[in-house]
Amino acid sequence: MADNSRPRRKAFGPLFYSTALVAVILLSIYGAVQIREWVGDWIGVRLEAQEIQSLLVSAGSTRGDVRARAYRSLVERRADWRLLIPVLLTGSTDQVDDVRIEAARGLNHAVNDLFHRSDSLPKEREECLQALRRMLKDSSIIVRNEASDGLAAFASARGLAAFDGKDAIVADLRAALADADHDVRIVAAKALLTIEGGRDQAAVGTLLALLADPEPVANRAEVLSVLVGHRQGERALNALTSLLGSGNSFVLPDVLSCIERLGPEAAAAVPKLESLLDDKDPGVRAGAGMAIVAIEGESTSRVIALSVKAVADQELPMQWRMIAVDTVLGSNPAALSSAAGVLMKQLSNENPTVRQNAVGLLSLFIEQVRPEPPKPDPGR
């Protein structure tokens, strides 16, 4: 028994020492890597601190463009708010618009970042809020817009709950409803509806007035979405339908697109939409047709007839004609026979675009539909 145990101890010794050696080497390699990482992190922190210090110096430059870039970079790098907030407060009263714009954006970030942090720096946050309230009356539209965004985001984050200064912020936002810039009015109205639970009638009235604006509005659909989200869909529809008789080809397509978004809830607008199906503007005709389809669904006899007519209308946008083909194919493919006959005639049109569109549309359904035979010419 003893003789058998000796070879094992001899074999175990070298194995133990070689394993230990490998472990030491691995630990040394790991330690070297860890040290390099620590050194790299330390150097990175020092460099970042130097860069931020350099930007803080640039924020006091005599050149407005340099100050504006410094403010932007400081906010992007998320510099310590204790260092940055005093600089932003100084910039909020700068004579250069671009500097005040960057200051407003920074204050916006500061207020809402501090709201979500445990070390929320209540004094600094209150100073930022006061600056944003003051900037709501700035001469620059962009500054006012940024300030209203910041206050709105803060108030919305607090929701319906009471908080210190809420009444003052609500009063400022209500005053902003009369701002000359419609973007500021929209932001203020959205915030008021959020923190007042959709009950602020001044905000609702402001949005309804924007929705019924007879001039082109870039974000009419956004206004509609806010109103619908606060259960004001019926009043929104009334505001939109008031514009259907305007005849303004620059406004009607946008209004029709908004009505289409309402879908079946816009059923009361169908009579007025029907009156636009023969409008001289093809965009208006297409918009009215698409709105009716969205309201009534795709399978009614009126929608099928309307879609067939749209397929054959060479002046309508190609996108709407293709949608119309899909609508009819899904419900009554045979109804496309009359449109196919018209498209066959369009193949001989002098306009190459008309011919090309006719070919494209026919290719979508010609295998399923036999063209209607041409009607005899009464002149012969």
Side-chain angles (χ1 to χ4, degrees):
M1 296 292 291
D3 291 339
N4 292 337
S5 63
R6 285 196 195 102
R8 291 177 187 171
R9 281 201 296 270
K10 289 180 181 178
F12 178 75
L15 178 62
F16 172 79
Y17 289 119
S18 61
T19 303
L21 180 61
V22 170
V24 170
I25 293 172
L26 289 174
L27 286 171
S28 300
I29 293 173
Y30 176 78
V33 171
Q34 190 70 42
I35 289 171
R36 284 199 299 273
E37 289 180 354
W38 289 338
V39 171
D41 290 343
W42 179 79
I43 292 173
V45 169
R46 291 296 298 270
L47 289 174
E48 184 177 357
Q50 290 177 8
E51 184 179 11
I52 288 176
Q53 197 60 42
S54 176
L55 289 171
L56 287 170
V57 172
S58 297
S61 170
T62 57
R63 289 178 50 183
D65 59 332
V66 173
R67 296 199 299 277
R69 286 198 299 271
Y71 280 42
R72 187 184 313 120
S73 297
L74 284 166
V75 174
E76 288 174 350
R77 283 162 176 73
R78 290 293 191 269
D80 188 337
W81 290 125
R82 291 178 179 84
L83 294 174
L84 185 51
I85 286 175
V87 179
L88 294 173
L89 292 173
T90 299
S92 69
T93 58
D94 198 282
Q95 293 183 347
V96 178
D97 285 1
D98 286 344
V99 177
R100 296 199 309 281
I101 290 169
E102 296 301 333
R105 288 173 179 161
L107 291 167
N108 184 339
H109 284 299
V111 163
N112 290 287
D113 188 31
L114 293 176
F115 171 72
H116 294 288
R117 285 171 45 169
S118 56
D119 56 335
S120 58
L121 304 175
K123 177 178 177 292
E124 287 81 355
R125 188 181 65 192
E126 182 60 28
E127 290 176 335
C128 293
L129 284 171
Q130 294 302 325
L132 289 173
R133 289 180 57 195
R134 186 182 65 251
M135 296 173 91
L136 275 176
K137 301 174 183 177
D138 196 274
S139 60
S140 166
I141 290 174
I142 302 177
V143 172
R144 298 201 304 273
N145 205 352
E146 290 292 338
S148 58
D149 266 334
L151 288 173
F154 177 76
S156 298
R158 288 301 185 100
L160 299 177
F163 58 88
D164 291 341
K166 179 176 180 178
D167 291 342
I169 290 177
V170 168
D172 288 336
L173 290 171
R174 286 212 176 106
L177 293 177
D179 195 277
D181 183 69
H182 78 282
D183 286 333
V184 175
R185 299 200 298 273
I186 291 172
V187 171
K190 287 169 63 176
L192 286 168
L193 288 174
T194 299
I195 62 181
E196 296 292 333
R199 296 185 299 270
D200 196 295
Q201 293 306 305
V204 172
T206 296
L207 292 176
L208 289 172
L210 288 166
L211 197 64
D213 192 332
E215 298 298 321
V217 177
N219 41 15
R220 202 184 302 266
E222 178 189 354
V223 173
L224 173 65
S225 177
V226 175
L227 287 166
V228 171
H230 289 283
R231 301 180 181 180
Q232 299 293 330
E234 184 176 352
R235 297 176 71 181
L237 177 62
N238 292 335
L240 290 169
T241 52
S242 69
L243 296 173
L244 291 181
S246 68
N248 188 335
S249 59
F250 294 103
V251 172
L252 279 175
D254 185 29
V255 172
L256 291 168
S257 176
C258 286
I259 292 175
E260 181 186 350
R261 289 171 179 267
L262 289 172
E265 295 181 16
V270 169
K272 287 190 175 181
L273 293 172
E274 288 178 328
S275 67
L276 297 175
L277 293 174
D278 294 317
D279 191 272
K280 62 181 180 181
D281 188 291
V284 172
R285 296 201 301 273
M290 294 180 76
I292 291 175
V293 172
I295 293 168
E296 295 193 349
E298 299 184 351
S299 58
T300 66
S301 58
R302 174 163 53 179
V303 166
I304 295 298
L306 178 63
S307 300
V308 171
K309 183 179 178 181
V311 173
D313 189 340
Q314 66 187 42
E315 293 183 347
L316 288 187
M318 188 61 172
Q319 180 184 5
W320 167 225
R321 297 173 77 186
M322 293 173 67
I323 292 173
V325 169
D326 287 339
T327 298
V328 183
L329 283 176
S331 301
N332 185 9
L336 284 168
S337 60
S338 60
V342 176
L343 292 173
M344 296 289 285
K345 291 182 180 180
Q346 290 175 10
L347 294 175
S348 60
N349 193 285
E350 295 181 357
N351 189 328
T353 302
V354 173
R355 298 197 302 272
Q356 184 179 10
N357 289 343
V359 170
L361 291 167
L362 283 168
S363 67
L364 297 175
F365 63 86
I366 196 65
E367 292 183 0
Q368 304 177 52
V369 178
R370 181 184 296 275
E372 191 176 85
K375 296 180 180 178
D377 190 341
R380 292 186 177 181

